């Protein structure tokens, strides 16, 4: 008995096939998400949903075999695309990285005007509405993973889980409805349920990748999940719907919530530093394709530093204009090793500060995302700063696993999420 989990990410699209009894992953298929559309606007970050849909179909063809009981789907939150009355896309995918919400409007910005954040679906829609960018034949907006579920099941309208609806911003979690209304908002459900079928296989409603990673890492009470990818997050389960400064409350399922702190740059800060080193090498006439291994060696040689590297290259949710800074530079610590170690410290420190703001003290620490998985020095930094033993799942695609766990619950193979999460295994 097996299940498929799909994760529609910003940079990659992945699918896994798992054994429902023990959680082992017997096949993984990934494709690069090279669907970006270049418009010439530096603030515009959009992708082609039909290219993404084609890649998903290729992945499913490779994963399909007899005995598949259910398919779960997750993907990049916050962003939206418009679909017509037949359930077909009529716009690009405006991703979570899209910056139109930070453009000036009425003496402030579009995002601040509606008290939300750029990249969030309702802000993107507000900008498009004010600038005449909503397609004439648009009937509804939804996430890319909701759209994938529509295409797989033949639905003409999206059925959006509250985990994604809340990611659009301007959403009341207690009432499970938007605080502002427009004719393009989708139908929302807080329940774990099936949306339809693909080739006779049940497909669950899609869920946000943050929540999916939480499920896929086996997180519960007293667990803090640290995810380091392009962006980074720290997530904890909570019953308190009142957000602390710098934190968000997001729906999980039923009456469960997670409190989330987001770093907009996260693992990208390390990539920015690697690019700086490559460009420095190029200045000396040396072509370097990849310097991550060299950076790891420098980090191992430089176990600590008094250099302070604030890695907020992309600002914060509340202060998008803020930028990174390097402090306490001296003649002794102005070295590549100190810069690498400082960057690692800065990435983790931002997440640790958000964890402290949550007010919770957890006894379990789980890491997810390629940034944490592929960099042992980053993992060590996380463990040392949080002062909790770090666990990492044995598989790499945590969000896809979480989508499968959610779907296994939706189809009734497991009674609840807690039971389904028992199949999660960790590296020893």
């Amino acid at each position: 008995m097996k299940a498929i989990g799909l994760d529609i990410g910003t940079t990659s699209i992945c699918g896994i096939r798992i054994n429902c009894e023990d959680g082992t992953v017997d096949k993984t298929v990934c494709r690069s998400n090279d669907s970006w559309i270049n418009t010439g606007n530096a603030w515009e970050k959009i992708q082609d949903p039909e290219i993404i849909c084609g890649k998903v179909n290729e992945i499913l063809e490779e994963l399909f075999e007899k005995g598949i009981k259910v398919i779960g789907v997750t993907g990049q939150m916050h962003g939206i695309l418009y679909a017509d009355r037949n359930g077909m896309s009529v716009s690009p995918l405006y991703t979570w990285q899209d910056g139109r919400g930070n453009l000036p409007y009425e003496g402030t910005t579009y995002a601040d005007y509606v008290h939300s954040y750029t990249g969030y679906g309702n802000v993107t829609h507000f900008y498009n509405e004010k600038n005449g960018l909503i397609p004439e034949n648009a009937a509804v907006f939804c996430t890319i993973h909701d759209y994938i579920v529509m295409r797989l099941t033949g639905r003409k309208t999206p059925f959006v889980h509250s985990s994604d609806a809340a990611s659009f911003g301007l959403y009341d979690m207690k009432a499970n409805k938007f605080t502002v209304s427009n004719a393009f908002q989708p139908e929302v459900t807080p329940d774990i349920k099936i949306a339809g079928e693909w080739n006779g296989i049940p497909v669950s409603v899609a869920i946000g990748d943050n929540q999916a990673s939480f499920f896929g890492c086996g997180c519960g009470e007293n667990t803090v999940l640290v995810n380091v990818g392009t962006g980074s997050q720290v997530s904890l389960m909570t019953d308190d719907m009142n957000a602390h400064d710098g934190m968000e409350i997001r729906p999980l399922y039923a009456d469960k919530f997670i409190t989330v702190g987001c770093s907009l740059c996260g693992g990208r800060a390390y990539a920015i530093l690697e690019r700086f080193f490559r460009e420095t090498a190029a200045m000396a006439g040396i072509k370097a394709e990849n310097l991550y291994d060299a950076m790891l060696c420098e980090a191992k040689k430089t176990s600590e530093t008094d250099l302070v590297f604030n890695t907020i290259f992309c600002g914060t949710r509340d202060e998008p204009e803020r930028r990174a800074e390097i402090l306490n530079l001296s003649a002794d610590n102005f070295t590549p090793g100190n810069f690498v170690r400082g960057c690692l410290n800065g990435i983790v420190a931002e997440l640790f500060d958000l964890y402290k703001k949550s007010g919770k003290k957890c006894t379990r620490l789980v890491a997810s995302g390629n940034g944490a998985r592929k960099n042992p020095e980053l993992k060590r930094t996380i463990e040392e700063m949080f002062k909790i033993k770090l666990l990492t799942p044995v598989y790499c695609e945590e969000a896809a696993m979480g989508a499968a766990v959610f779907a296994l619950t939706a189809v009734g193979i497991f009674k609840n999420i807690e039971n389904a999460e028992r199949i999660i295994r960790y590296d020893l």
Side-chain angles (χ1 to χ4, degrees), residues 206-364:
I207 56 172
D209 57 1
N210 180 203
Q211 289 84 348
S213 291
F214 204 76
F215 296 144
C217 288
C219 298
E221 293 285 352
N222 301 315
T223 300
V224 54
L225 172 64
V226 175
N227 178 282
V228 182
T230 306
S232 298
Q233 298 169 325
V234 57
S235 308
L236 311 90
M237 186 180 289
T238 182
D239 294 323
D240 184 3
M241 294 184 65
N242 299 309
H244 296 269
D245 288 345
M247 305 289 285
E248 296 179 54
I249 303 296
R250 295 177 178 174
L252 193 57
Y253 65 94
D255 58 349
K256 302 291 186 180
F257 304 91
I258 49 177
T259 179
V260 182
C262 295
S263 165
L264 298 183
C265 199
R268 186 183 171 198
Y270 202 66
I272 290 170
L273 183 61
E274 190 268 348
R275 184 188 66 193
F276 170 76
F277 287 144
R278 275 191 288 111
E279 291 179 352
T280 303
M283 185 175 65
I286 302 170
K287 184 177 180 180
E289 296 294 335
N290 184 315
L291 289 176
Y292 287 113
D293 287 343
M295 290 169 66
L296 181 59
C297 289
E298 288 297 317
K300 289 178 178 178
K301 290 189 293 184
T302 311
S303 59
E304 58 184 45
T305 182
D306 57 352
L307 179 150
V308 179
F309 199 150
N310 295 326
T311 55
I312 51 172
F313 290 96
C314 304
T316 68
R317 293 282 191 211
D318 294 324
E319 299 178 278
E321 73 285 352
R322 283 190 65 190
R323 291 296 177 263
E325 56 185 355
I326 300 175
L327 305 173
N328 203 41
L329 281 169
S330 69
D332 294 325
N333 65 23
F334 195 83
T335 66
N338 278 277
F339 273 55
V340 174
R341 175 57 60 190
C343 184
L344 293 172
N345 290 345
I347 292 169
V348 179
E350 186 177 4
L351 295 174
F352 184 66
D353 287 344
L354 290 167
Y355 164 66
K356 289 191 294 184
K357 287 181 180 179
S358 75
K360 292 195 68 173
K361 290 186 177 180
C362 294
T363 56
R364 292 179 78 242

Side-chain angles (χ1 to χ4, degrees), residues 53-327:
C53 194
K55 290 178 181 287
V56 169
N57 287 332
E58 292 174 4
I59 290 170
L60 280 176
E61 286 180 8
E62 291 196 43
L63 292 175
F64 178 77
E65 65 174 31
K66 289 183 179 181
I68 302 294
K69 298 299 182 182
V70 70
I71 297 171
V73 186
T74 186
Q76 48 177 298
M77 300 164 64
H78 308 300
I80 59 169
L81 61 87
Y82 294 95
D84 63 18
R85 297 188 185 280
N86 294 315
M88 299 297 294
S89 68
V90 292
S91 79
L93 166 64
Y94 305 92
T95 74
W96 63 276
Q97 294 176 322
D98 193 84
R100 69 193 61 215
N102 286 335
L103 296 176
Y105 179 77
E106 297 288 333
T108 179
T109 66
Y110 287 87
D112 285 344
Y113 188 84
V114 297
H115 306 293
S116 190
Y117 303 110
T118 191
Y120 281 31
N122 274 311
V123 172
T124 297
H125 175 76
F126 178 66
Y127 176 93
N128 290 346
E129 180 182 47
K130 293 301 180 182
N131 290 276
L133 295 178
I134 300 173
E136 290 184 8
N137 52 345
V140 67
F141 65 66
C142 63
T143 68
I144 182 60
H145 34 299
D146 291 311
Y147 181 64
I148 293 301
V149 170
M150 288 170 63
R151 293 295 299 274
L152 292 179
T153 62
R155 292 181 62 95
K156 293 186 177 181
T157 57
F159 202 20
V160 176
H161 190 258
S162 55
S163 60
D164 279 314
S167 82
F168 297 150
L170 307 176
Y171 187 79
D172 184 339
M173 289 180 291
K174 290 182 179 179
N176 281 314
K177 66 179 183 180
F178 296 103
T179 58
V180 296
S181 61
N182 63 65
F184 298 90
Q185 288 168 339
E187 180 183 0
V188 178
T189 179
D191 300 324
I192 302 173
K193 61 197 308 178
I194 297 299
E197 292 186 350
W198 175 79
N199 291 340
I201 302 172
V203 180
S204 68
V205 295
I207 56 172
D209 57 1
N210 180 203
Q211 289 84 348
S213 291
F214 204 76
F215 296 144
C217 288
C219 298
E221 293 285 352
N222 301 315
T223 300
V224 54
L225 172 64
V226 175
N227 178 282
V228 182
T230 306
S232 298
Q233 298 169 325
V234 57
S235 308
L236 311 90
M237 186 180 289
T238 182
D239 294 323
D240 184 3
M241 294 184 65
N242 299 309
H244 296 269
D245 288 345
M247 305 289 285
E248 296 179 54
I249 303 296
R250 295 177 178 174
L252 193 57
Y253 65 94
D255 58 349
K256 302 291 186 180
F257 304 91
I258 49 177
T259 179
V260 182
C262 295
S263 165
L264 298 183
C265 199
R268 186 183 171 198
Y270 202 66
I272 290 170
L273 183 61
E274 190 268 348
R275 184 188 66 193
F276 170 76
F277 287 144
R278 275 191 288 111
E279 291 179 352
T280 303
M283 185 175 65
I286 302 170
K287 184 177 180 180
E289 296 294 335
N290 184 315
L291 289 176
Y292 287 113
D293 287 343
M295 290 169 66
L296 181 59
C297 289
E298 288 297 317
K300 289 178 178 178
K301 290 189 293 184
T302 311
S303 59
E304 58 184 45
T305 182
D306 57 352
L307 179 150
V308 179
F309 199 150
N310 295 326
T311 55
I312 51 172
F313 290 96
C314 304
T316 68
R317 293 282 191 211
D318 294 324
E319 299 178 278
E321 73 285 352
R322 283 190 65 190
R323 291 296 177 263
E325 56 185 355
I326 300 175
L327 305 173

